[in-house]
Amino acid sequence: CCHISSFLKSGHNICKKKGQIMKKNMAGLILVLFAIALFMTGCEKKAQEKEEAQEASARQLVIQKQTQTEIAEKKIEEKRRELPKQAQIEMEVILQKPELPTGCESVALTMVLKQKGYPIEKTTIAEEYLIYNRDNYASGYVGDPSTYGGVGIYPPGLVNTANRFLKQRYQQHTAYDVSKLSLEELLPYVAAGNPVLLWLTSDLEAPYFSSQSVEYGGDSYRWYWNEHCVVLGGYDLEKQSVTLFDPLKGKAEESLERVEEIYNQTGKYAMTVY
């Protein structure tokens, strides 16, 4: 009987100890779960704060963009009302060869983007952002600009390419298709500090039109084999000259009359960024 009593007492003590251990373990588990809950709450709060900060930043960027656009458009309008006799934009000259023998459009756009303050390499647009198309040169580049067999791209596709790049840079600028404006109507953009991409011909020769045309956005675009894209970066009305930043020839002063003639013949294709 004594042995039984001792055994029962011993069992009771063991159970008591186990209960105490379980209570301690449970208390520890509760503390761990509470710590995890606090950590998760903190993470959720930080994530929410980060999201709110990003939204606030995005809203601020939109406001800044709207403000910048309004300022730019106001300045362009002022130049329309009273066009200066001359204007010149400082730009870095970038030549397309040897990397992009048929990539004049990408290189011309690169010059404009660098003028707007974006650090960008010569081949970045062609390799990472240029929109391609198998046969519609109005919507995308046909061919490969890194080869001599490349064809080209017209303003709609290059504008979309530019905005594709700008969107990833918080789009503090926007590319615009200003085709169909006369050369005279493009000069206020230059006077306001915004270079204009022009679709002309190599060496300002007469355009060699093909029989091919494509449709895009309700408009028809006819191809010409000596298509070449340059940047209009200055003009002098007294000298009747314009400054072109040519991806093939570099910076050159050309006759305003001749440039206007080729610009009109090739379809008045142009775009700008501001």
Side-chain angles (χ1 to χ4, degrees):
C1 292
C2 291
H3 288 297
I4 293 170
S5 175
S6 176
F7 175 76
L8 290 173
K9 186 176 181 181
S10 175
H12 175 73
N13 289 336
I14 290 170
C15 290
K16 186 177 180 182
K17 286 180 179 179
K18 284 185 176 180
Q20 290 173 346
I21 291 170
M22 286 181 67
K23 284 181 181 179
K24 287 182 179 179
N25 288 342
M26 184 62 71
L29 180 60
I30 291 171
L31 285 173
V32 169
L33 292 173
F34 182 69
I36 291 172
L38 284 176
F39 176 76
M40 294 299 292
T41 302
C43 288
E44 289 175 1
K45 186 177 180 181
K46 285 182 179 179
Q48 184 179 356
E49 289 174 350
K50 184 179 180 181
E51 186 177 345
E52 289 174 353
Q54 288 175 338
E55 289 178 359
S57 178
R59 286 194 297 271
Q60 187 61 35
L61 286 170
V62 169
I63 294 170
Q64 290 176 2
K65 166 68 178 116
Q66 290 174 341
T67 303
Q68 288 180 1
T69 301
E70 289 170 2
I71 292 172
E73 290 179 345
K74 183 179 179 181
K75 191 172 181 181
I76 292 167
E77 186 56 38
E78 288 174 353
K79 301 302 180 183
R80 283 198 189 103
R81 289 196 298 266
E82 189 174 350
L83 184 68
K85 293 294 182 183
Q86 59 182 11
Q88 182 65 52
I89 299 173
E90 293 300 320
M91 291 176 57
E92 178 184 344
V93 175
I94 303 176
L95 300 179
Q96 65 192 80
K97 292 181 179 180
E99 296 90 344
L100 299 167
T102 53
C104 57
E105 304 95 343
S106 295
V107 174
L109 175 58
T110 298
M111 284 193 269
V112 171
L113 292 174
K114 285 183 79 77
Q115 187 269 336
K116 291 299 177 187
Y118 297 96
I120 181 173
E121 298 299 323
K122 182 202 293 191
T123 58
T124 301
I125 291 296
E127 293 177 351
E128 300 179 27
Y129 297 94
L130 185 61
I131 296 171
Y132 289 85
N133 192 284
R134 290 186 61 184
D135 50 28
N136 191 323
Y137 44 81
S139 63
Y141 189 96
V142 175
D144 183 351
S146 67
T147 70
Y148 282 91
V151 179
I153 184 173
Y154 274 0
L158 197 63
V159 165
N160 289 336
T161 292
N163 285 328
R164 187 180 182 187
F165 169 86
L166 291 165
K167 187 176 181 180
Q168 293 191 8
R169 269 69 179 176
Y170 304 106
Q171 205 162 351
Q172 290 304 289
H173 296 88
T174 302
Y176 300 94
D177 189 340
V178 289
S179 299
K180 305 308 177 185
L181 293 181
S182 69
L183 190 62
E184 183 181 351
E185 290 173 313
L186 294 175
L187 297 184
Y189 290 91
V190 177
N194 305 302
V196 178
L197 280 76
L198 299 179
W199 272 252
L200 301 175
T201 60
S202 302
D203 296 319
L204 298 177
E205 298 173 339
Y208 305 133
F209 285 101
S210 73
S211 59
Q212 184 184 14
S213 64
V214 296
E215 300 292 323
Y216 183 85
D219 292 321
S220 180
Y221 295 82
R222 189 180 176 189
W223 184 253
Y224 57 102
W225 294 113
N226 51 345
E227 174 262 355
H228 188 48
C229 185
V230 303
V231 181
L232 174 64
Y235 67 87
D236 189 324
L237 296 180
E238 292 181 355
K239 294 170 61 177
Q240 284 293 289
S241 66
V242 294
T243 302
L244 300 182
F245 290 80
D246 188 328
L248 282 175
K249 296 164 54 178
K251 185 177 178 181
E253 189 174 311
E254 303 287 357
S255 162
L256 188 153
E257 183 180 5
R258 182 57 177 169
V259 169
E260 184 173 28
E261 181 182 6
I262 299 300
Y263 173 69
N264 292 342
Q265 288 178 5
T266 54
K268 294 183 179 179
Y269 298 136
M271 65 172 281
T272 190
V273 176
Y274 62 82

